[in-house]
PDB file of all heavy atoms in Angstrom:
ATOM      1  N   ARG A   1      98.139 110.577 101.090  1.00 96.00           N
ATOM      2  CA  ARG A   1      96.906 109.980 100.545  1.00 96.00           C
ATOM      3  C   ARG A   1      97.252 108.843  99.590  1.00 96.00           C
ATOM      4  O   ARG A   1      96.600 107.783  99.600  1.00 96.00           O
ATOM      5  CB  ARG A   1      96.065 111.040  99.837  1.00 96.00           C
ATOM      6  CG  ARG A   1      95.479 112.090 100.770  1.00 96.00           C
ATOM      7  CD  ARG A   1      94.759 113.188  99.995  1.00 96.00           C
ATOM      8  NE  ARG A   1      94.406 114.286 100.853  1.00 96.00           N
ATOM      9  CZ  ARG A   1      93.296 114.346 101.597  1.00 96.00           C
ATOM     10  NH1 ARG A   1      92.455 113.331 101.565  1.00 96.00           N
ATOM     11  NH2 ARG A   1      93.056 115.398 102.353  1.00 96.00           N
ATOM     12  N   GLU A   2      98.264 109.059  98.765  1.00 95.00           N
ATOM     13  CA  GLU A   2      98.712 108.002  97.853  1.00 95.00           C
ATOM     14  C   GLU A   2      99.229 106.803  98.649  1.00 95.00           C
ATOM     15  O   GLU A   2      98.972 105.643  98.302  1.00 95.00           O
ATOM     16  CB  GLU A   2      99.814 108.551  96.940  1.00 95.00           C
ATOM     17  CG  GLU A   2     100.344 107.543  95.934  1.00 95.00           C
ATOM     18  CD  GLU A   2     101.541 108.062  95.154  1.00 95.00           C
ATOM     19  OE1 GLU A   2     101.911 109.258  95.323  1.00 95.00           O
ATOM     20  OE2 GLU A   2     102.123 107.277  94.388  1.00 95.00           O
ATOM     21  N   ARG A   3      99.978 107.083  99.718  1.00 94.00           N
ATOM     22  CA  ARG A   3     100.491 106.005 100.573  1.00 94.00           C
ATOM     23  C   ARG A   3      99.361 105.171 101.140  1.00 94.00           C
ATOM     24  O   ARG A   3      99.423 103.944 101.206  1.00 94.00           O
ATOM     25  CB  ARG A   3     101.333 106.629 101.703  1.00 94.00           C
ATOM     26  CG  ARG A   3     102.057 105.625 102.589  1.00 94.00           C
ATOM     27  CD  ARG A   3     101.243 105.171 103.786  1.00 94.00           C
ATOM     28  NE  ARG A   3     100.793 106.269 104.614  1.00 94.00           N
ATOM     29  CZ  ARG A   3      99.907 106.120 105.586  1.00 94.00           C
ATOM     30  NH1 ARG A   3      99.356 104.943 105.839  1.00 94.00           N
ATOM     31  NH2 ARG A   3      99.526 107.165 106.308  1.00 94.00           N
ATOM     32  N   ARG A   4      98.268 105.833 101.549  1.00 94.00           N
ATOM     33  CA  ARG A   4      97.136 105.104 102.117  1.00 94.00           C
ATOM     34  C   ARG A   4      96.524 104.152 101.103  1.00 94.00           C
ATOM     35  O   ARG A   4      96.147 103.023 101.440  1.00 94.00           O
ATOM     36  CB  ARG A   4      96.070 106.093 102.597  1.00 94.00           C
ATOM     37  CG  ARG A   4      96.420 106.821 103.881  1.00 94.00           C
ATOM     38  CD  ARG A   4      95.305 107.781 104.222  1.00 94.00           C
ATOM     39  NE  ARG A   4      95.605 108.609 105.367  1.00 94.00           N
ATOM     40  CZ  ARG A   4      94.950 109.723 105.662  1.00 94.00           C
ATOM     41  NH1 ARG A   4      93.983 110.153 104.869  1.00 94.00           N
ATOM     42  NH2 ARG A   4      95.262 110.430 106.735  1.00 94.00           N
ATOM     43  N   VAL A   5      96.413 104.606  99.869  1.00 95.00           N
ATOM     44  CA  VAL A   5      95.839 103.751  98.816  1.00 95.00           C
ATOM     45  C   VAL A   5      96.731 102.532  98.578  1.00 95.00           C
ATOM     46  O   VAL A   5      96.253 101.390  98.523  1.00 95.00           O
ATOM     47  CB  VAL A   5      95.652 104.550  97.504  1.00 95.00           C
ATOM     48  CG1 VAL A   5      95.235 103.622  96.373  1.00 95.00           C
ATOM     49  CG2 VAL A   5      94.624 105.657  97.700  1.00 95.00           C
ATOM     50  N   ILE A   6      98.031 102.789  98.425  1.00 94.00           N
ATOM     51  CA  ILE A   6      98.976 101.690  98.197  1.00 94.00           C
ATOM     52  C   ILE A   6      98.963 100.731  99.377  1.00 94.00           C
ATOM     53  O   ILE A   6      98.925  99.503  99.212  1.00 94.00           O
ATOM     54  CB  ILE A   6     100.401 102.239  97.968  1.00 94.00           C
ATOM     55  CG1 ILE A   6     100.458 103.029  96.659  1.00 94.00           C
ATOM     56  CG2 ILE A   6     101.428 101.114  97.957  1.00 94.00           C
ATOM     57  CD1 ILE A   6     101.767 103.772  96.447  1.00 94.00           C
ATOM     58  N   GLU A   7      98.977 101.302 100.575  1.00 93.00           N
ATOM     59  CA  GLU A   7      98.965 100.468 101.775  1.00 93.00           C
ATOM     60  C   GLU A   7      97.700  99.623 101.856  1.00 93.00           C
ATOM     61  O   GLU A   7      97.746  98.427 102.182  1.00 93.00           O
ATOM     62  CB  GLU A   7      99.076 101.343 103.022  1.00 93.00           C
ATOM     63  CG  GLU A   7      99.028 100.566 104.323  1.00 93.00           C
ATOM     64  CD  GLU A   7      98.575 101.408 105.499  1.00 93.00           C
ATOM     65  OE1 GLU A   7      98.826 102.619 105.500  1.00 93.00           O
ATOM     66  OE2 GLU A   7      97.964 100.829 106.413  1.00 93.00           O
ATOM     67  N   GLY A   8      96.556 100.237 101.559  1.00 93.00           N
ATOM     68  CA  GLY A   8      95.288  99.503 101.619  1.00 93.00           C
ATOM     69  C   GLY A   8      95.267  98.321 100.669  1.00 93.00           C
ATOM     70  O   GLY A   8      94.864  97.207 101.037  1.00 93.00           O
ATOM     71  N   ASP A   9      95.715  98.550  99.431  1.00 95.00           N
ATOM     72  CA  ASP A   9      95.753  97.459  98.443  1.00 95.00           C
ATOM     73  C   ASP A   9      96.728  96.367  98.883  1.00 95.00           C
ATOM     74  O   ASP A   9      96.432  95.172  98.785  1.00 95.00           O
ATOM     75  CB  ASP A   9      96.159  98.000  97.070  1.00 95.00           C
ATOM     76  CG  ASP A   9      95.099  98.912  96.464  1.00 95.00           C
ATOM     77  OD1 ASP A   9      93.943  98.867  96.937  1.00 95.00           O
ATOM     78  OD2 ASP A   9      95.434  99.675  95.538  1.00 95.00           O
ATOM     79  N   MET A  10      97.903  96.787  99.357  1.00 95.00           N
ATOM     80  CA  MET A  10      98.898  95.814  99.808  1.00 95.00           C
ATOM     81  C   MET A  10      98.419  95.044 101.022  1.00 95.00           C
ATOM     82  O   MET A  10      98.639  93.833 101.135  1.00 95.00           O
ATOM     83  CB  MET A  10     100.217  96.530 100.140  1.00 95.00           C
ATOM     84  CG  MET A  10     101.250  96.469  99.039  1.00 95.00           C
ATOM     85  SD  MET A  10     102.791  97.305  99.517  1.00 95.00           S
ATOM     86  CE  MET A  10     103.405  96.212 100.791  1.00 95.00           C
ATOM     87  N   ARG A  11      97.752  95.737 101.933  1.00 93.00           N
ATOM     88  CA  ARG A  11      97.260  95.079 103.142  1.00 93.00           C
ATOM     89  C   ARG A  11      96.248  93.990 102.791  1.00 93.00           C
ATOM     90  O   ARG A  11      96.317  92.866 103.301  1.00 93.00           O
ATOM     91  CB  ARG A  11      96.637  96.108 104.081  1.00 93.00           C
ATOM     92  CG  ARG A  11      96.174  95.509 105.404  1.00 93.00           C
ATOM     93  CD  ARG A  11      95.520  96.554 106.291  1.00 93.00           C
ATOM     94  NE  ARG A  11      94.320  97.104 105.678  1.00 93.00           N
ATOM     95  CZ  ARG A  11      94.186  98.386 105.324  1.00 93.00           C
ATOM     96  NH1 ARG A  11      95.173  99.229 105.517  1.00 93.00           N
ATOM     97  NH2 ARG A  11      93.063  98.805 104.786  1.00 93.00           N
ATOM     98  N   ASP A  12      95.311  94.320 101.893  1.00 93.00           N
ATOM     99  CA  ASP A  12      94.311  93.325 101.487  1.00 93.00           C
ATOM    100  C   ASP A  12      94.972  92.125 100.821  1.00 93.00           C
ATOM    101  O   ASP A  12      94.621  90.971 101.093  1.00 93.00           O
ATOM    102  CB  ASP A  12      93.297  93.968 100.527  1.00 93.00           C
ATOM    103  CG  ASP A  12      92.438  95.024 101.200  1.00 93.00           C
ATOM    104  OD1 ASP A  12      92.409  95.047 102.453  1.00 93.00           O
ATOM    105  OD2 ASP A  12      91.824  95.836 100.484  1.00 93.00           O
ATOM    106  N   GLN A  13      95.945  92.405  99.954  1.00 95.00           N
ATOM    107  CA  GLN A  13      96.655  91.347  99.261  1.00 95.00           C
ATOM    108  C   GLN A  13      97.451  90.488 100.244  1.00 95.00           C
ATOM    109  O   GLN A  13      97.459  89.250 100.167  1.00 95.00           O
ATOM    110  CB  GLN A  13      97.593  91.967  98.217  1.00 95.00           C
ATOM    111  CG  GLN A  13      98.110  91.001  97.165  1.00 95.00           C
ATOM    112  CD  GLN A  13      98.908  91.750  96.102  1.00 95.00           C
ATOM    113  OE1 GLN A  13      98.881  92.981  96.029  1.00 95.00           O
ATOM    114  NE2 GLN A  13      99.619  90.994  95.274  1.00 95.00           N
ATOM    115  N   ALA A  14      98.122  91.148 101.188  1.00 94.00           N
ATOM    116  CA  ALA A  14      98.921  90.422 102.174  1.00 94.00           C
ATOM    117  C   ALA A  14      98.036  89.561 103.075  1.00 94.00           C
ATOM    118  O   ALA A  14      98.388  88.423 103.413  1.00 94.00           O
ATOM    119  CB  ALA A  14      99.725  91.413 103.011  1.00 94.00           C
ATOM    120  N   MET A  15      96.881  90.096 103.465  1.00 93.00           N
ATOM    121  CA  MET A  15      95.972  89.328 104.311  1.00 93.00           C
ATOM    122  C   MET A  15      95.463  88.085 103.587  1.00 93.00           C
ATOM    123  O   MET A  15      95.299  87.018 104.191  1.00 93.00           O
ATOM    124  CB  MET A  15      94.796  90.197 104.759  1.00 93.00           C
ATOM    125  CG  MET A  15      95.155  91.274 105.772  1.00 93.00           C
ATOM    126  SD  MET A  15      95.825  90.589 107.315  1.00 93.00           S
ATOM    127  CE  MET A  15      96.088  92.113 108.239  1.00 93.00           C
ATOM    128  N   ASP A  16      95.221  88.208 102.283  1.00 93.00           N
ATOM    129  CA  ASP A  16      94.795  87.038 101.497  1.00 93.00           C
ATOM    130  C   ASP A  16      95.881  85.963 101.527  1.00 93.00           C
ATOM    131  O   ASP A  16      95.589  84.770 101.670  1.00 93.00           O
ATOM    132  CB  ASP A  16      94.502  87.441 100.048  1.00 93.00           C
ATOM    133  CG  ASP A  16      93.216  88.248  99.920  1.00 93.00           C
ATOM    134  OD1 ASP A  16      92.399  88.201 100.845  1.00 93.00           O
ATOM    135  OD2 ASP A  16      93.047  88.926  98.878  1.00 93.00           O
ATOM    136  N   ILE A  17      97.134  86.403 101.389  1.00 93.00           N
ATOM    137  CA  ILE A  17      98.258  85.450 101.430  1.00 93.00           C
ATOM    138  C   ILE A  17      98.339  84.809 102.812  1.00 93.00           C
ATOM    139  O   ILE A  17      98.495  83.586 102.942  1.00 93.00           O
ATOM    140  CB  ILE A  17      99.580  86.148 101.076  1.00 93.00           C
ATOM    141  CG1 ILE A  17      99.548  86.670  99.631  1.00 93.00           C
ATOM    142  CG2 ILE A  17     100.759  85.194 101.268  1.00 93.00           C
ATOM    143  CD1 ILE A  17     100.747  87.543  99.265  1.00 93.00           C
ATOM    144  N   VAL A  18      98.220  85.622 103.847  1.00 92.00           N
ATOM    145  CA  VAL A  18      98.322  85.125 105.222  1.00 92.00           C
ATOM    146  C   VAL A  18      97.222  84.106 105.509  1.00 92.00           C
ATOM    147  O   VAL A  18      97.472  83.038 106.089  1.00 92.00           O
ATOM    148  CB  VAL A  18      98.247  86.290 106.229  1.00 92.00           C
ATOM    149  CG1 VAL A  18      98.053  85.768 107.642  1.00 92.00           C
ATOM    150  CG2 VAL A  18      99.499  87.137 106.154  1.00 92.00           C
ATOM    151  N   GLU A  19      95.995  84.423 105.104  1.00 89.00           N
ATOM    152  CA  GLU A  19      94.871  83.529 105.386  1.00 89.00           C
ATOM    153  C   GLU A  19      94.995  82.202 104.655  1.00 89.00           C
ATOM    154  O   GLU A  19      94.388  81.198 105.061  1.00 89.00           O
ATOM    155  CB  GLU A  19      93.559  84.227 105.034  1.00 89.00           C
ATOM    156  CG  GLU A  19      93.204  85.346 106.022  1.00 89.00           C
ATOM    157  CD  GLU A  19      92.058  86.219 105.546  1.00 89.00           C
ATOM    158  OE1 GLU A  19      91.492  85.914 104.471  1.00 89.00           O
ATOM    159  OE2 GLU A  19      91.746  87.201 106.244  1.00 89.00           O
ATOM    160  N   SER A  20      95.786  82.175 103.578  1.00 91.00           N
ATOM    161  CA  SER A  20      95.986  80.920 102.850  1.00 91.00           C
ATOM    162  C   SER A  20      97.007  80.017 103.550  1.00 91.00           C
ATOM    163  O   SER A  20      97.168  78.854 103.180  1.00 91.00           O
ATOM    164  CB  SER A  20      96.462  81.210 101.425  1.00 91.00           C
ATOM    165  OG  SER A  20      97.797  81.698 101.422  1.00 91.00           O
ATOM    166  N   LEU A  21      97.690  80.554 104.564  1.00 86.00           N
ATOM    167  CA  LEU A  21      98.736  79.790 105.247  1.00 86.00           C
ATOM    168  C   LEU A  21      98.188  78.821 106.283  1.00 86.00           C
ATOM    169  O   LEU A  21      98.887  77.907 106.708  1.00 86.00           O
ATOM    170  CB  LEU A  21      99.724  80.750 105.936  1.00 86.00           C
ATOM    171  CG  LEU A  21     100.467  81.741 105.034  1.00 86.00           C
ATOM    172  CD1 LEU A  21     101.340  82.670 105.876  1.00 86.00           C
ATOM    173  CD2 LEU A  21     101.331  81.004 104.017  1.00 86.00           C
ATOM    174  N   PHE A  22      96.943  79.025 106.721  1.00 87.00           N
ATOM    175  CA  PHE A  22      96.375  78.147 107.745  1.00 87.00           C
ATOM    176  C   PHE A  22      94.853  78.125 107.606  1.00 87.00           C
ATOM    177  O   PHE A  22      94.246  79.059 107.066  1.00 87.00           O
ATOM    178  CB  PHE A  22      96.776  78.593 109.152  1.00 87.00           C
ATOM    179  CG  PHE A  22      96.354  79.994 109.503  1.00 87.00           C
ATOM    180  CD1 PHE A  22      95.205  80.237 110.239  1.00 87.00           C
ATOM    181  CD2 PHE A  22      97.110  81.094 109.095  1.00 87.00           C
ATOM    182  CE1 PHE A  22      94.809  81.515 110.561  1.00 87.00           C
ATOM    183  CE2 PHE A  22      96.726  82.391 109.404  1.00 87.00           C
ATOM    184  CZ  PHE A  22      95.572  82.598 110.144  1.00 87.00           C
ATOM    185  N   ASP A  23      94.232  77.041 108.072  1.00 85.00           N
ATOM    186  CA  ASP A  23      92.786  76.907 108.013  1.00 85.00           C
ATOM    187  C   ASP A  23      92.123  77.850 109.007  1.00 85.00           C
ATOM    188  O   ASP A  23      92.712  78.228 110.029  1.00 85.00           O
ATOM    189  CB  ASP A  23      92.366  75.462 108.314  1.00 85.00           C
ATOM    190  CG  ASP A  23      92.837  74.495 107.242  1.00 85.00           C
ATOM    191  OD1 ASP A  23      92.991  74.943 106.084  1.00 85.00           O
ATOM    192  OD2 ASP A  23      93.073  73.315 107.560  1.00 85.00           O
ATOM    193  N   GLU A  24      90.890  78.208 108.711  1.00 80.00           N
ATOM    194  CA  GLU A  24      90.184  79.212 109.512  1.00 80.00           C
ATOM    195  C   GLU A  24      90.072  78.820 110.975  1.00 80.00           C
ATOM    196  O   GLU A  24      90.144  79.662 111.864  1.00 80.00           O
ATOM    197  CB  GLU A  24      88.781  79.423 108.923  1.00 80.00           C
ATOM    198  CG  GLU A  24      88.009  80.560 109.576  1.00 80.00           C
ATOM    199  CD  GLU A  24      86.673  80.800 108.896  1.00 80.00           C
ATOM    200  OE1 GLU A  24      86.449  80.251 107.802  1.00 80.00           O
ATOM    201  OE2 GLU A  24      85.864  81.549 109.480  1.00 80.00           O
ATOM    202  N   ASP A  25      89.918  77.530 111.253  1.00 80.00           N
ATOM    203  CA  ASP A  25      89.744  77.074 112.635  1.00 80.00           C
ATOM    204  C   ASP A  25      91.066  76.804 113.342  1.00 80.00           C
ATOM    205  O   ASP A  25      91.079  76.469 114.529  1.00 80.00           O
ATOM    206  CB  ASP A  25      88.890  75.799 112.659  1.00 80.00           C
ATOM    207  CG  ASP A  25      87.473  76.057 112.143  1.00 80.00           C
ATOM    208  OD1 ASP A  25      86.983  77.191 112.317  1.00 80.00           O
ATOM    209  OD2 ASP A  25      86.879  75.129 111.568  1.00 80.00           O
TER     210      ASP A  25
END
């Protein structure tokens, strides 16, 4: 359960970084 929480926070943070690498289109 703790792993899921850590993973969820990291996933959201990582996705924010990834989305900043290229424009939406």
Side-chain angles (χ1 to χ4, degrees):
R1 292 175 190 275
E2 181 187 355
R3 186 270 304 170
R4 286 179 185 163
V5 173
I6 294 172
E7 178 204 330
D9 292 343
M10 261 181 69
R11 183 182 62 244
D12 293 344
Q13 196 174 348
M15 289 299 181
D16 288 342
I17 296 172
V18 168
E19 288 169 3
S20 71
L21 300 177
F22 59 98
D23 294 332
E24 187 176 348
D25 296 330

